[in-house]
Amino acid sequence: MTLFLITLGFFLLVVAGMAVGYIFQQKSLAGSCGGLGSLGIDKACNCDNPCEKRQERERKAALAKDSIDIKII
């Protein structure tokens, strides 16, 4: 049990050290290979003509964003 606690403490110390280093560098998160941005893709669905389900979801999201829904409790 002692070995487990020493190992756990060591890993927590390493994680805390990495977190402090990241905070002081003030860099944004980035993937190791650059992600989709390196391929010239702006979004995950880069379709010119999205399917009907996606169009409906985007329409509902736009309506929900523009309207304020007030419910009386």
Side-chain angles (χ1 to χ4, degrees), residues 15-27:
V15 170
M18 290 190 305
V20 169
Y22 179 78
I23 290 169
F24 284 125
Q25 286 182 356
Q26 297 178 351
K27 292 170 60 177

Side-chain angles (χ1 to χ4, degrees), residues 13-63:
L13 185 64
V14 169
V15 170
M18 290 190 305
V20 169
Y22 179 78
I23 290 169
F24 284 125
Q25 286 182 356
Q26 297 178 351
K27 292 170 60 177
S28 63
L29 290 174
S32 59
C33 63
L36 293 175
S38 66
L39 300 174
I41 300 173
D42 296 331
K43 55 185 177 177
C45 176
N46 204 20
C47 306
D48 293 331
N49 189 12
C51 64
E52 294 173 5
K53 288 181 181 179
R54 183 170 182 93
Q55 288 175 350
E56 183 66 22
R57 282 194 311 260
E58 290 176 353
R59 186 187 66 77
K60 286 182 181 178
L63 289 175

